Amino acid sequence: MADCDLCEAALLTPRHYEDDLCWIADCEICLVPMVVWKMHDPVPPAEVKALLHQHLARVADPILGEGGWKLDDHMRNIPDHYHAHARPPMFWMR
Ligand SMILES: [Zn+2]
Ligand SMILES: [Zn+2]
């Protein structure tokens, strides 16, 4: 687990939400809500993934507006630890 930014961030980052499965915080790079699975593993089972997405929606809706964001779980920077961002549609224009 050494050198995994997400495992490290789990100790430092202020959270919107946390439970046994995951935590949700603002991504330090993108400044949008991001859900991080507590397992250091890139591929959660389907039912875990669905739960992570539900939790993210609960946090992201009041911040970005219902329907005002899209789930993005393409893991560009940290491909070996599952996480997903809630991105507003205009994100790439900023
Ligand atoms: Zn990790
Ligand atoms: Zn990010």
Side-chain angles (χ1 to χ4, degrees):
M1 309 273 159
D3 288 342
C4 173
D5 283 349
L6 289 177
C7 290
E8 242 171 66
L11 306 171
L12 307 171
T13 316
R15 324 286 162 85
H16 291 294
Y17 176 82
E18 178 169 15
D19 65 14
D20 291 343
L21 196 65
C22 65
W23 53 275
I24 298 174
D26 288 332
C27 171
E28 284 187 0
I29 298 160
C30 314
L31 306 176
V32 298
M34 168 181 79
V35 61
V36 180
W37 192 22
K38 283 192 172 174
M39 296 279 293
H40 184 86
D41 187 303
V43 187
E47 67 269 21
V48 169
K49 209 182 206 184
L51 270 172
L52 299 183
H53 293 182
Q54 272 172 34
H55 289 310
L56 183 61
R58 209 171 302 146
V59 168
D61 279 348
I63 297 172
L64 299 169
E66 219 171 310
W69 57 277
K70 281 217 172 84
L71 187 106
D72 174 14
D73 65 356
H74 183 79
M75 302 188 289
R76 291 166 198 82
N77 297 325
I78 306 172
D80 57 352
H81 187 146
Y82 187 81
H83 61 287
H85 290 72
R87 293 199 197 280
M90 300 305 278
F91 179 78
W92 299 112
M93 317 276 289
R94 275 196 269 178

